[in-house]
Amino acid sequence: MKFGKSICVLNVGGTRYAFTREVIRDFPLRRVSRLHACASEKEVLELCDDYDRDRNEFFFDRHAQAFVFIMLYVRSGKLRFVPGVCELSFYTEMLYWGLESAHLDSCCQKRLDDRMSEIGLDTLSEGEIGVSGDDSQSQSDSVQRSALTGRAKWMEKMRKTFEEPNSSIVAQLLASVSVIFVIISMIMLCASTLPDWDTAKRNTVEEHRIVEAVCIGWFTAECIVRFLVARDKWDFLRHPLNIIDVIAITPYYVTMAMARAGMPGAGLGVAGVILRVLRMMRVFWLMKLARHFLGLQTLGLTLRRCYREMVMLMVFVCVAMAIYSALAQLLEHGLDLGTQNPDYASIPAAAWWVIISMTTVGYGDVYPVTVGGRVLGGMCVVSGIVLLALPITFIYHSFVQCYHELKFRSARCARSLSTEILQQ
């Protein structure tokens, strides 16, 4: 549209904001940026509630305070809920202006997921928010795409492809290939411990080297690309899954370096032990599956949120172990009543019996023989059941909450992907 003035005014719920035409054209909010492309006043009124040509002012009958917080997101990149405003009402405002729940900070996103779970919604439909199909189109990436240009846009697209398996068809294909390589690597690692593996490896040594090199090459290239396209390189290096990637890849290159240095064998003293340990560390590749499976993501998120309960559980077990192991050593061996039990010769030895009794495993390799020791064993088993059950309720509820939260996010990503496919 050919604006009458170089300054455009947005009137949102009585609050006025003045911007230049260039700012309107590149505005991060999709509804606002589309005003610049309007060819007639009729098209303008499809995006706003009223328009004053003399003052070049666009009127939006929306929540003024909510738009203040949305403007803070435009300026600072952080979007949070308005205090005292219903989460669903604010989410409605976000969708109207072209934002998605993914733009919220993690704490507010969790509140929104909990609120939707309470009322049994996965998301709000277009009819519920009064937005047409054109307005809701490509909302998940509208802010970032309008703010990024050229190389930055390409980097962001690459980052999503490698970091978010549900973001596109290409991302899903790459994730599938990565899972296949993980499975192949784990099969080779398990097969390498079989008695006949050395003979088979000598007969087909070249094939084994090729398969191993291809797997390592894929994981190395994937890790390097993800590092190059990461928004924050330091955060990338600190992420636990990325650390596991490095730990899993390093043994291959250490093995190659030791082979070039003339130490290829496994029986070279300390070097051979280190070599075998590094090879076995490849089992950490299984942790890469956490990027692609909801169950493993739920487990990791639960452990991260319940670390206090886990520490409390460990404290309970350690205190009980200290008490019962000391009493068991005293009753079975320390009193010297003529029936000394050699399995309880020390407190650390008795601690092994305590832990398998408290967890109700009971291998049967160690057991008390005195009357006092058997009574103590019964008390140990009962107290172990009680102590282990105390924090389980908190951990269970956190697991269910994390599962629903990740399920909602996965459902939103799936809907966005379906929309992208239909548009193509």
Side-chain angles (χ1 to χ4, degrees):
M1 179 181 179
K2 302 299 182 180
F3 295 105
K5 299 179 180 179
S6 60
I7 300 298
C8 305
V9 179
L10 304 182
N11 190 321
V12 182
T15 305
R16 302 172 78 243
Y17 303 85
F19 302 100
T20 62
R21 281 183 290 182
E22 290 74 16
V23 172
I24 292 292
R25 181 189 58 197
D26 300 326
F27 208 77
L29 301 181
R30 177 177 173 81
R31 180 173 288 271
V32 177
S33 62
R34 288 180 62 191
L35 292 172
H36 191 274
C38 293
S40 64
E41 188 170 338
K42 181 180 179 181
E43 293 183 8
V44 170
L45 293 177
E46 291 178 357
L47 298 174
C48 63
D49 296 297
D50 199 2
Y51 172 62
D52 188 336
R53 179 181 294 272
D54 296 333
R55 293 185 296 180
N56 203 28
E57 186 170 356
F58 303 87
F59 294 89
F60 296 88
D61 188 15
R62 306 302 298 186
H63 197 290
Q65 190 177 5
F67 190 73
V68 171
F69 276 70
I70 292 175
M71 285 300 297
L72 289 176
Y73 166 73
V74 172
R75 295 170 183 170
S76 63
K78 294 184 179 181
L79 182 60
R80 297 185 177 92
F81 284 131
V82 180
V85 176
C86 174
E87 291 85 356
L88 297 181
S89 297
F90 186 76
Y91 185 43
T92 301
E93 294 295 320
M94 289 170 51
L95 294 178
Y96 177 83
W97 294 107
L99 298 178
E100 274 280 349
S101 59
H103 298 113
L104 285 167
D105 280 6
S106 57
C107 57
C108 294
Q109 193 172 100
K110 181 176 179 296
R111 283 174 54 190
L112 179 62
D113 291 337
D114 293 341
R115 180 60 174 157
M116 286 187 171
S117 178
E118 289 176 3
I119 62 177
L121 283 178
D122 283 347
T123 185
L124 295 178
S125 65
E126 296 173 2
E128 291 174 312
I129 62 173
V131 180
S132 63
D134 292 338
D135 295 335
S136 61
Q137 189 177 15
S138 304
Q139 287 178 347
S140 59
D141 295 326
S142 60
V143 172
Q144 293 180 353
R145 287 179 180 175
S146 60
L148 299 176
T149 56
R151 182 174 177 272
K153 184 184 293 185
W154 181 84
M155 293 282 285
E156 180 64 20
K157 186 175 181 179
M158 288 290 293
R159 187 197 67 80
K160 284 193 172 185
T161 301
F162 281 88
E163 295 288 352
E164 302 175 11
N166 293 324
S167 62
S168 65
I169 296 294
V170 177
Q172 289 186 347
L173 291 176
L174 287 175
S176 301
V177 172
S178 182
V179 170
I180 291 173
F181 276 115
V182 169
I183 294 174
I184 293 174
S185 301
M186 290 301 101
I187 292 176
M188 292 189 62
L189 178 63
C190 295
S192 65
T193 60
L194 296 175
D196 299 332
W197 174 257
D198 291 336
T199 302
K201 187 174 181 180
R202 281 193 295 270
N203 295 334
T204 58
V205 60
E206 193 62 30
E207 288 81 354
H208 288 98
R209 287 180 178 176
I210 293 174
V211 172
E212 186 178 26
V214 170
C215 293
I216 295 294
W218 171 267
F219 294 135
T220 304
E222 182 185 32
C223 188
I224 292 175
V225 171
R226 290 175 51 246
F227 173 76
L228 293 176
V229 300
R231 293 173 180 171
D232 191 320
K233 302 298 189 291
W234 177 240
D235 286 343
F236 178 88
L237 295 175
R238 292 187 303 173
H239 196 280
L241 288 180
N242 297 329
I243 296 175
I244 290 173
D245 281 348
V246 175
I247 292 176
I249 293 171
T250 303
Y252 177 80
Y253 296 103
V254 173
T255 302
M256 297 296 293
M258 294 179 67
R260 289 181 177 275
M263 299 183 295
L268 300 175
V270 177
V273 173
I274 295 175
L275 186 59
R276 288 193 293 271
V277 171
L278 291 176
R279 283 175 178 171
M280 196 55 61
M281 287 173 66
R282 295 178 188 176
V283 73
F284 286 111
W285 271 330
L286 285 174
M287 299 301 296
K288 292 171 66 67
L289 299 178
R291 290 195 181 94
H292 315 298
F293 293 100
L294 183 63
L296 292 176
Q297 294 174 12
T298 304
L299 178 61
L301 185 59
T302 302
L303 293 177
R304 189 164 69 242
R305 291 183 177 177
C306 293
Y307 72 93
R308 291 187 179 88
E309 288 78 8
M310 299 297 294
V311 170
M312 181 173 60
L313 177 62
M314 295 302 299
V315 170
F316 287 165
V317 173
C318 290
V319 170
M321 280 182 59
I323 295 174
Y324 283 116
S325 59
L327 293 177
Q329 193 276 337
L330 178 64
L331 293 173
E332 292 292 314
H333 192 274
L335 293 180
D336 195 14
L337 298 178
T339 57
Q340 291 185 344
N341 191 339
D343 293 331
Y344 296 83
S346 64
I347 290 180
W352 166 249
W353 168 78
V354 172
I355 189 63
I356 63 175
S357 298
M358 290 185 66
T359 56
T360 67
V361 175
Y363 291 118
D365 56 339
V366 180
Y367 54 88
V369 295
T370 65
V371 175
R374 291 175 179 176
V375 173
L376 181 68
M379 296 173 60
C380 179
V381 171
V382 173
S383 62
I385 294 174
V386 175
L387 290 177
L388 292 175
L390 288 176
I392 293 301
T393 303
F394 300 101
I395 298 174
Y396 167 75
H397 285 299
S398 180
F399 180 86
V400 172
Q401 188 177 30
C402 292
Y403 175 76
H404 286 299
E405 180 180 336
L406 293 177
K407 187 178 179 181
F408 280 131
R409 295 180 186 177
S410 178
R412 282 196 295 266
C413 291
R415 281 191 296 271
S416 299
L417 179 59
S418 300
T419 303
E420 180 181 343
I421 295 174
L422 292 175
Q423 291 173 359
Q424 293 177 351

